Amino acid sequence: MLHVAVVGSGPSGVYSAQGLVRRSGPPDVRVDVLDRLPCPYGLVRYGVAPDHEKIKSLQNNLRGVLEDERVRFLGGVRIGPGGIPVSRLRELYHAVVYCVGAATDRRLGVPGEDLPGSRSATEFVSWYSAHPDAAVEGFVRDVRSAVVIGVGNVAVDVTRILARGAPELSRTDIPEAALAALAAGAVTDISMVGRRGPSQARFTTKELRELGTLPDADVVVDPAELALDPAYLDPSGLPAAQRRNVEVLRGWAEAAPLGRPRRIRPRFFLRPVELLADGGRVGAVRFERTVPDGSGGVTGTGRYEEIEAQLVLRSVGYRGVPLDGLPFDPLLGTVPNLAGRVLRDGAVVPGEYVAGWIKRGPTGVIGTNRPCAKETVTSLLEDAPVLVRRKVAEDPLEALRAAGVRPVEWAGWQAIERAEAELGARLGRGVVKLPDWDALWAAAWAAST
């Protein structure tokens, strides 16, 4: 029997578990999927916007893997400092696959970035997704104008949530505190700003188009700013996805606003150079106008513009963080690997593997994790005849419990689900996420009493 631990229960972790148990041939495999949180599904639960029900339904597919009799979910298990050391995990299992994602945001590196009211988009996403680590604050209190720095799908998500009305969001699983804060907020202007042009934006056309469907918001685009991009004037040479983006933006630029209460302003060729204070918190962002440099990048012009903002959300990419006990490439923000096999000092380490963003960097969409995990699983199974010879614990869970770990098993997660359904019923809504660690633990342990 090959015993494998998968650290992380997001898509890359679950796809890794799926690949291990659904292949044919010896040896038999048992997989423990470990997660720091008592809830599975990773960014599908805590990263997908609450109004994206279709994408969130991917949880049903992931559930099928975690309910397989050869797979065991063990939530609330910390790996590294304050938890199970990587070296001990390696002793308990024939192989360990680390699927820990990219846990931090890239920074702007400009003056004023740490002013109150300046946050990462990930923090905002965690707040409206009820991540138990989320900062407990209203985010939108006393905010009239918000600036989202970045033009990827996460930037579009946070822009859309800021512009959505409470009646629409109340039909989702957004936590009650976030719903109340957004309903009471007075945000009327949201600028989504990129340093390059519309033809180089990273959002998908589907996400972009959604901004134009919001019943309470006009999308206002300056055609003169779009025209700074040579590819906007003649998009025929662009790849299809970028060409569609340009066409959507052109349609908004040519349309008259309808006078709705909120305005979304996609902006381009503006590079943030400073966040300006007003009354002890952020009050505006100073941008430098950029122009294409002819090589795919931009260069500054020395002309500046200020955009009012009581809330600034940076959405300029993610970055992996080191996991104590594993090698780490600080330049790439990944664990050095060869086809998923961890490399220590350039040499393959039998039994240690990575998949997902910690393997390849924060690239791709949720579906990209499937082939990434498949490659890693292929490497692991090629190594299995050697790995399985090493003697390990008959049941690693017993050893974890002996070390003082009290994992949340599948029944505990199901208890959390029931508690969220009950909370929603009390509030006159559908399922509503439990808002913090205490509520999650209380629900999970109720299953064992």
Side-chain angles (χ1 to χ4, degrees):
M1 179 74 69
L2 180 69
H3 291 278
V4 181
V6 172
V7 180
S9 66
S12 61
V14 177
Y15 290 148
S16 295
Q18 182 182 51
L20 286 164
V21 300
R22 294 191 179 176
R23 92 286 179 270
S24 59
D28 291 337
V29 181
R30 295 282 179 159
V31 182
D32 285 347
V33 178
L34 285 62
D35 202 293
R36 181 178 69 90
L37 299 175
C39 309
Y41 311 136
L43 282 178
V44 178
R45 175 175 167 88
Y46 287 120
V48 175
D51 59 342
H52 272 178
E53 289 91 347
K54 185 174 181 180
I55 301 175
K56 290 173 74 69
S57 69
L58 176 62
Q59 291 181 174
N60 296 328
N61 297 332
L62 303 181
R63 172 188 293 274
V65 178
L66 295 175
E67 289 182 333
D68 189 295
E69 62 182 5
R70 296 161 293 181
V71 178
R72 184 165 51 183
F73 173 70
L74 302 176
V77 179
R78 184 181 294 273
I79 306 300
I84 303 299
V86 164
S87 57
R88 178 57 175 154
L89 201 63
R90 184 68 185 89
E91 292 171 355
L92 295 175
Y93 294 89
H94 292 114
V96 183
V97 185
Y98 296 94
C99 307
V100 293
T104 191
D105 297 85
R106 296 184 183 276
R107 291 177 59 83
L108 299 174
V110 301
E113 185 171 7
D114 294 319
L115 283 168
S118 169
R119 308 298 291 265
S120 73
T122 298
E123 291 175 293
F124 186 60
V125 170
S126 293
W127 174 69
Y128 68 59
S129 297
H131 193 292
D133 289 339
V136 181
E137 62 170 274
F139 269 100
V140 294
R141 188 181 301 117
D142 300 322
V143 174
R144 300 181 306 277
S145 298
V147 167
V148 179
I149 299 176
V151 284
N153 279 347
V154 174
V156 175
D157 278 348
V158 300
T159 296
R160 192 182 63 255
I161 295 298
L162 283 168
R164 270 215 188 275
E168 302 162 81
L169 289 173
S170 67
R171 297 191 291 268
T172 74
D173 63 1
I174 190 170
E176 189 71 5
L179 177 63
L182 289 165
V187 180
T188 57
D189 280 89
I190 307 131
S191 298
M192 183 176 66
V193 187
R195 64 185 178 87
R196 297 193 294 176
S199 68
Q200 297 167 311
R202 302 297 296 274
F203 43 62
T204 60
T205 307
K206 181 178 182 297
E207 290 261 359
L208 180 64
R209 282 183 178 139
E210 280 189 89
L211 296 179
T213 67
L214 303 179
D216 295 326
D218 286 333
V219 182
V220 181
V221 183
D222 181 356
E225 189 168 77
L226 298 182
L228 296 173
D229 188 341
Y232 174 77
L233 299 174
D234 181 13
S236 59
L238 290 174
Q242 283 72 31
R243 188 169 64 251
R244 288 193 295 268
N245 286 344
V246 166
E247 291 168 354
V248 171
L249 290 164
R250 187 189 306 277
W252 288 333
E254 295 173 351
L258 298 176
R260 292 165 174 159
R262 298 186 182 95
R263 290 164 297 280
I264 297 171
R265 304 178 190 272
R267 302 291 309 273
F268 300 95
F269 293 113
L270 292 171
R271 176 167 56 198
V273 294
E274 185 177 4
L275 274 62
L276 306 174
D278 180 13
R281 58 174 293 125
V282 68
V285 185
R286 177 175 291 148
F287 292 92
E288 181 182 17
R289 171 64 69 191
T290 62
V291 292
D293 64 5
S295 302
V298 293
T299 185
T301 64
R303 292 182 284 116
Y304 298 89
E305 174 181 340
E306 294 178 9
I307 300 178
E308 178 189 353
Q310 295 80 40
L311 173 65
V312 178
L313 299 173
R314 68 179 185 274
S315 181
V316 292
Y318 299 92
R319 184 172 178 81
V321 297
L323 180 61
D324 191 52
L326 282 182
F328 187 73
D329 184 331
L331 184 63
L332 298 177
T334 59
V335 171
N337 70 93
L338 178 64
R341 296 179 174 96
V342 171
L343 298 174
R344 292 183 182 270
D345 298 322
V348 167
V349 179
E352 292 185 317
Y353 305 86
V354 285
W357 281 1
I358 199 63
K359 170 188 173 183
R360 68 181 191 274
T363 61
V365 295
I366 290 174
T368 311
N369 290 293
R370 191 181 290 275
C372 175
K374 182 179 180 181
E375 179 187 58
T376 296
V377 167
T378 298
S379 295
L380 192 160
L381 293 175
E382 287 174 355
D383 301 341
V386 174
L387 297 175
V388 78
R389 295 174 190 166
R390 185 168 61 86
K391 185 175 178 59
V392 299
E394 183 66 27
D395 185 357
L397 179 55
E398 293 181 5
L400 292 174
R401 285 179 172 145
V405 176
R406 187 185 178 190
V408 175
E409 298 186 62
W410 194 248
W413 159 239
Q414 290 176 311
I416 291 173
E417 288 186 302
R418 289 193 297 272
E420 293 184 335
E422 291 166 2
L423 174 60
R426 291 197 301 272
L427 295 171
R429 298 171 53 193
V431 171
V432 174
K433 285 181 179 174
L434 296 177
D436 53 42
W437 282 106
D438 289 344
L440 290 169
W441 289 130
W445 300 141
S448 60
T449 59

